[in-house]
Amino acid sequence: MNFLAHIYLSFGDDEITLGNFFADHIRGNKYKHLPEKIQKGILLHREIDTFTDAHPTARKSSKRLHKNYHHYSRVIVDIYYDHFLAKNWSSYSDVPLDTFVEKFYDLLEDNYDILPMATKRMMPYMIADNWLLNYANLAGIERVLNGMNRRTKNKSRMNYAILDLEENYTEFENEFTSFFEELITFSNQKFISLCED
């Protein structure tokens, strides 16, 4: 899953949210210096990714893209799924998306000193262009895909993936909706067990 889903699946705990958000910028076990709950957020992130990668519905979404994007397909699906979460946000949260996002940006700024360097480098762009809020519209998703394509030096051709989303929009949305219900349940159980340890 992409950024918005990982933040959402931290269930309102600030330290879990931080770890769950920046876990991709932490290699191996190089997190032992961080506060314990942030470490648990990193572990939760990894559990979410493992569950997602193995899930037949997420794999079905990915397979639809594989011919054109090969191993980038899963990354693209993560971005699509964040779009559907943002677009249908009111089905998942009573807090308006713009309020939720602003609170998260404040959390990043308040904890800037402990963020990994890669997160610090990304953060100004994320906030200035309001990535999380703009996931809700196709123009925002197109910008993300264009940016990802540039980072792969145009090898991924991910800039074209907006067309695949538009062409198969209903299928992707239905797959997200059925998958995400299961992911919420799974993540909540993992969250509870991690917090009990």
Side-chain angles (χ1 to χ4, degrees), residues 158-188:
M158 284 167 77
N159 52 313
Y160 293 107
I162 191 68
L163 303 175
D164 298 82
L165 177 58
E166 289 169 341
E167 191 178 327
N168 301 283
Y169 196 86
T170 304
E171 291 90 336
F172 282 122
E173 184 163 24
N174 289 341
E175 285 157 11
F176 163 77
T177 303
S178 77
F179 164 71
F180 201 62
E181 287 302 324
E182 291 183 47
L183 182 61
I184 292 169
T185 303
F186 170 84
S187 303
N188 192 42

Side-chain angles (χ1 to χ4, degrees), residues 46-156:
R46 292 175 178 179
E47 293 275 8
I48 289 167
D49 281 359
T50 301
F51 180 87
T52 301
D53 288 346
H55 196 284
T57 305
R59 289 169 80 96
K60 185 179 176 187
S61 291
S62 179
K63 195 172 178 189
R64 191 177 293 116
L65 298 168
H66 198 266
K67 182 165 63 91
N68 292 331
Y69 307 102
H70 309 290
H71 65 279
Y72 295 106
S73 301
R74 285 184 177 178
V75 178
I76 295 167
V77 169
D78 286 347
I79 294 165
Y80 288 179
Y81 280 12
D82 254 17
H83 164 65
F84 292 118
L85 174 57
K87 178 195 159 204
N88 300 303
W89 184 258
S90 60
S91 301
Y92 300 102
S93 177
D94 294 332
V95 179
L97 182 58
D98 57 347
T99 306
F100 180 89
V101 166
E102 281 305 317
K103 183 173 180 285
F104 172 69
Y105 293 153
D106 289 345
L107 178 67
L108 285 187
E109 286 168 345
D110 291 346
N111 292 275
Y112 185 81
D113 290 346
I114 62 166
L115 300 177
M117 190 49 67
T119 309
K120 288 177 178 176
R121 280 197 295 267
M122 178 184 78
M123 187 178 136
Y125 302 102
M126 181 183 215
I127 295 174
D129 293 335
N130 208 345
W131 292 358
L132 299 176
L133 191 64
N134 284 317
Y135 283 155
N137 59 69
L138 288 175
I141 293 300
E142 186 169 20
R143 274 196 300 279
V144 171
L145 292 166
N146 285 336
M148 298 289 278
N149 183 57
R150 279 194 302 277
R151 281 199 283 287
T152 65
K153 299 185 168 55
N154 303 319
K155 286 190 202 122
S156 67

Side-chain angles (χ1 to χ4, degrees), residues 22-33:
F22 64 59
D24 281 337
H25 294 152
I26 302 283
R27 291 283 159 258
N29 66 352
K30 298 206 164 99
Y31 56 81
K32 302 292 188 182
H33 63 288

Side-chain angles (χ1 to χ4, degrees), residues 183-195:
L183 182 61
I184 292 169
T185 303
F186 170 84
S187 303
N188 192 42
Q189 288 166 349
K190 289 292 174 189
F191 173 86
I192 290 165
S193 68
L194 282 166
C195 290

